[in-house]
Amino acid sequence: MGSLYLNGLNRDERAALEKQLWEQQAGKCFISGRPIEIGLDELDVDHIIPSRDYGKDDPTNFALTLASYNRSKQAADLRVARVLARFDQIKESADSDDRGANLNDVLKAYGGASGTLRGRISDTQMTYIGGGDDKVTVPIHTDRLSGMRYFFAVLPIASIHHDEKINPRPIGANVRGLVEEFFKGRPQLQVALGWINSGELPDARVNIFDGQHKAAAQILLGVTMLAVRVFIDPNFDILLTTNTNAGTTLRQVAFDKSVQRRLGSAMLLDRIARYRKDKGLPEDDESFSEKAIVEHFKGDQRAVTRYVLDGIRNAITYSPDNKLRDYIDNSGKGHEKPLSYSTIEKTFYSKFIGSSMLETPWNYRSDVGENPRTIEVGQIVRLMSLISGKIYQGKYDEEVGTAKLESKVQKGEDVPEKHLAAFRMAKEEIVYCWISYIGKIIENHFLMMGRVVDNQKLFQYPFPEQLWTNIGYFIDNLARLPMWVNRDASLTIFGGKQSYGFWQTIFESGSSPTGHKAMPSGLNIMEMIKP
């Protein structure tokens, strides 16, 4: 964002400001720390705290930087950009190997990995020297699953070392996100995992083998005491296998999308409460709009927009009237249900939820049932329930499921036709295409009524009953297509995962791009909405 203050300076005033900042910064670039030569180097003056984060537009919030560093900075906040630039410098001088800097390089750059932990162990306690000369005594626990002993401690980074044998991975680009999170005071799970050899006491190295990215992010931000779970004389084979599986088999367990949407919905409620408090509004006030909420949280607008949309997705997914939810696998890992949550997001939600933030009050015409979001949620739920009744209810059998279904068909196993049709119609690339025809039916219906509607928010317009009847006929006729139960097609068009374009070609022409005939001709919308 531009600066009204800087734009109002003449040439001499600008030069005076640069000289003032140069002196305050001891002649060094705020981001890189490299020396600045005024009159020779190309310079920028920029906000330290961005304006969008309520940074002041005056000299108290300005910094002098080398232009090349400012224009390629990795974060809008110059304080974070400076930390990330320091990490880049560490990578350039890393003495680990050609794979890049690891935790050892970060530790050494900040005075870590230079000593040992001084302490003693009894049967039940660990006593060690913490910060300064303070003695700290903590209990020793036994892990009930692995049988290994451990203690929790907050240790000076001088005693901490990186175990390159168990964890040879370098620090990756995702450390940037962690630096930004920690800088904003958001406490991720920060406890690193390490081990000591009790035979080395009273002076033992603490070797970190897991959590190196979070440890590195904290150190880069100036933390000199780290929280660590320290195993005592561990089984190294177990630790090595554990760390290997975390990066391969398990791939660091993450929330599935449906859980993320529920969290986003909860975050929206928090933002609404904060907005009301900031504006001095009553707890039940709903006079504000979606757009007002988003614009209020400067610097976080993208996230708040996502929270609003997450709230809508969540309302649809968990509506008690949504009959399709019984056929959606929210985890995406099972073989009992035909639809994955990802499929629902990429089809129903991405195509039919209006992504633009509304400018009307949150409770606009709610008393008469004409609130755009309420209409949108209700109509998408009705559509999903309509599809459930016509394609899945009484037809899809969870006991048969989805596992290797086409393979079973190819082997001649007895797969019920109704189940096979429901399974095939639920494939993501296929749903993506046929759901688009429903959007076209809606647009055409309004056009024939003489109404031009915004196709980016179709479901915010109330549908007349005749339109619902047309949609029902389309789904009926679609489900009757012979290709869904054609067992020979298991070797051709249903033989593997195809692209959206592959199925769009089939729906438009009747044949696949590879020449396999799936239908006599392409779909005709006017014919498909007839009983």
Side-chain angles (χ1 to χ4, degrees), residues 173-433:
N174 60 333
V175 76
R176 169 186 171 179
L178 290 168
V179 167
E180 291 179 327
E181 283 287 288
F182 293 158
F183 181 79
K184 293 176 181 177
R186 297 169 181 167
Q188 298 277 343
L189 181 62
Q190 298 174 19
V191 180
L193 302 182
W195 64 271
I196 62 169
N197 179 353
S198 63
E200 295 179 351
L201 291 172
D203 294 290
R205 284 172 41 130
V206 178
N207 305 283
I208 300 298
F209 66 89
D210 189 58
Q212 65 163 353
H213 282 77
K214 290 176 181 177
Q218 293 173 73
I219 295 166
L220 288 165
L221 285 167
V223 171
T224 58
M225 301 285 289
L226 282 181
V228 185
R229 182 188 186 190
V230 185
F231 289 92
I232 303 168
D233 303 327
N235 182 313
F236 292 100
D237 287 339
I238 290 178
L239 295 189
L240 185 59
T241 301
T242 299
N243 202 57
T244 301
N245 287 347
T248 56
T249 308
L250 299 179
R251 295 190 179 276
Q252 300 296 338
V253 177
F255 291 131
D256 62 64
K257 283 190 175 181
S258 67
V259 174
Q260 292 176 28
R261 299 315 180 203
R262 297 197 80 160
L263 290 172
S265 180
M267 290 294 291
L268 173 61
L269 296 179
D270 173 71
R271 289 296 193 276
I272 290 174
R274 286 169 54 184
Y275 177 88
R276 286 172 175 150
K277 183 177 180 181
D278 291 348
K279 296 292 185 180
L281 301 175
E283 290 185 0
D284 59 350
D285 185 274
E286 293 187 336
S287 61
F288 50 85
S289 67
E290 293 175 355
K291 188 173 182 180
I293 286 281
V294 170
E295 291 182 345
H296 178 70
F297 293 98
K298 296 184 184 297
D300 209 17
Q301 293 180 349
R302 181 176 298 179
V304 178
T305 297
R306 188 178 71 249
Y307 299 155
V308 172
L309 296 177
D310 282 350
I312 297 162
R313 296 183 186 105
N314 195 57
I316 297 168
T317 302
Y318 296 99
S319 168
D321 298 324
N322 186 350
K323 306 305 180 186
L324 191 61
R325 69 177 184 168
D326 293 335
Y327 301 93
I328 301 171
D329 187 344
N330 287 323
S331 68
K333 297 177 181 177
H335 295 290
E336 293 81 20
K337 300 180 185 293
L339 293 157
S340 69
Y341 182 83
S342 176
T343 294
I344 297 300
E345 278 222 334
K346 293 176 182 177
T347 56
F348 291 90
Y349 296 171
S350 68
K351 289 181 178 291
F352 296 148
I353 292 177
S355 59
S356 298
M357 296 294 96
L358 301 184
E359 297 184 40
T360 51
W362 201 273
N363 61 351
Y364 174 76
R365 299 188 67 79
S366 293
D367 55 334
V368 292
E370 295 180 5
N371 181 276
R373 287 300 189 192
T374 303
I375 292 171
E376 183 176 61
V377 169
Q379 294 194 144
I380 294 176
V381 167
R382 182 172 176 179
L383 173 64
M384 294 173 79
S385 296
L386 185 64
I387 288 170
S388 176
K390 293 181 177 296
I391 299 177
Y392 300 105
Q393 292 176 26
K395 302 175 180 66
Y396 183 86
D397 186 348
E398 284 194 10
E399 292 189 4
V400 178
T402 66
K404 299 181 179 179
L405 202 64
E406 294 294 351
S407 177
K408 293 176 182 177
V409 171
Q410 294 166 19
K411 293 176 181 177
E413 295 184 25
D414 184 21
V415 177
E417 284 192 349
K418 290 181 179 179
H419 180 85
L420 180 61
F423 163 73
R424 287 174 167 176
M425 292 183 72
K427 289 189 173 184
E428 183 178 297
E429 63 272 24
I430 295 176
V431 179
Y432 186 88
C433 291

